[in-house]
Amino acid sequence: AKCLETSILFLISRVTFVTQRDLPTFCIDAVAISKGICRCSDGSRAIQDRLNALKSHPEEDITKMLDASNVRSETWSDKPLSQTFDLEREYLYQLGSTLGQCAEKLICLTLQDARRMAARSSSVSRPENLHDWAYFIGALTPALDHTEMETKRVGCAFNGYGTETSMALAQALRQEMEKMKTVL
């Protein structure tokens, strides 16, 4: 997940670089990005659901629900399962946070690319713009609709910070796409 995050940051820097130099050869695949948005957001939300389930079912309840012989082998000491659950919570939280950050960064990347395409609209032939914009909007609208990031946020909070930024970015992307639709 950290490698994915670093890759997204690289792509964001490339869009910034291309925008500053007005290079027409760079483009991101909107379908691949929309799949990444959905997968990262869905993964982060699923992890948040699991973390919520771990909070609502303390260790004692789980060990009562499960047969103790299935949970512990004879070689285990009589330590409570709290250490295992704490470790699971910690790793899930780290993974969920990273996936949520990746979803947010993918939205940021997409928003930057939408703004780059809009800025180039005056220097590129109109039919090429329309085709690129239609592809972009057609790929990303279902991702925004599916994830509902504009209203539900990403999923896991990041190291104590809220996920309001993801909502604002998703709303800004939706507005940018609405502007593009008016030209289509």
Side-chain angles (χ1 to χ4, degrees):
K2 288 289 185 183
C3 290
L4 174 62
E5 186 177 19
T6 302
S7 298
I8 296 167
L9 288 172
F10 172 76
L11 287 174
I12 290 171
S13 72
R14 292 303 302 164
V15 170
T16 303
F17 176 82
V18 167
T19 302
Q20 290 172 348
R21 284 158 183 78
D22 196 29
L23 301 173
T25 58
F26 181 80
C27 80
I28 60 171
D29 184 3
V31 171
I33 298 299
S34 68
K35 286 180 182 179
I37 291 167
C38 290
R39 289 180 180 151
C40 289
S41 179
D42 289 349
S44 182
R45 286 191 182 135
I47 289 169
Q48 185 64 52
D49 291 346
R50 174 65 180 151
L51 289 170
N52 291 341
L54 287 173
K55 281 181 192 174
S56 66
H57 297 291
E59 164 194 343
E60 297 79 30
D61 293 342
I62 292 173
T63 55
K64 288 177 186 174
M65 291 187 308
L66 299 172
D67 181 8
S69 62
N70 290 334
V71 177
R72 298 181 186 186
S73 68
E74 292 176 13
T75 59
W76 276 33
S77 66
D78 286 333
K79 292 181 184 176
L81 290 176
S82 62
Q83 292 174 344
T84 305
F85 288 123
D86 289 342
L87 191 59
E88 179 183 7
R89 280 187 203 102
E90 181 182 333
Y91 287 144
L92 284 175
Y93 180 76
Q94 289 175 5
L95 178 60
S97 295
T98 302
L99 287 174
Q101 289 172 358
C102 287
E104 188 173 283
K105 285 178 174 78
L106 285 168
I107 291 291
C108 181
L109 169 67
T110 307
L111 178 60
Q112 281 187 342
D113 199 44
R115 289 176 176 162
R116 178 191 63 85
M117 291 187 326
R120 280 192 56 226
S121 65
S122 61
S123 63
V124 178
S125 66
R126 188 163 173 77
E128 183 180 323
N129 272 349
L130 296 180
H131 174 72
D132 290 346
W133 289 13
Y135 179 76
F136 183 86
I137 292 167
L140 288 157
T141 299
L144 286 178
D145 293 344
H146 170 75
T147 60
E148 299 176 328
M149 285 176 66
E150 297 150 292
T151 56
K152 286 187 175 180
R153 302 182 183 133
V154 167
C156 286
F158 320 130
N159 300 323
Y161 298 106
T163 54
E164 289 79 17
T165 305
S166 63
M167 287 176 55
L169 288 171
Q171 290 166 358
L173 177 59
R174 179 78 74 173
Q175 290 171 355
E176 195 68 37
M177 290 182 351
E178 291 300 321
K179 288 179 195 174
M180 294 167 95
K181 282 182 186 178
T182 61
V183 176
L184 292 177

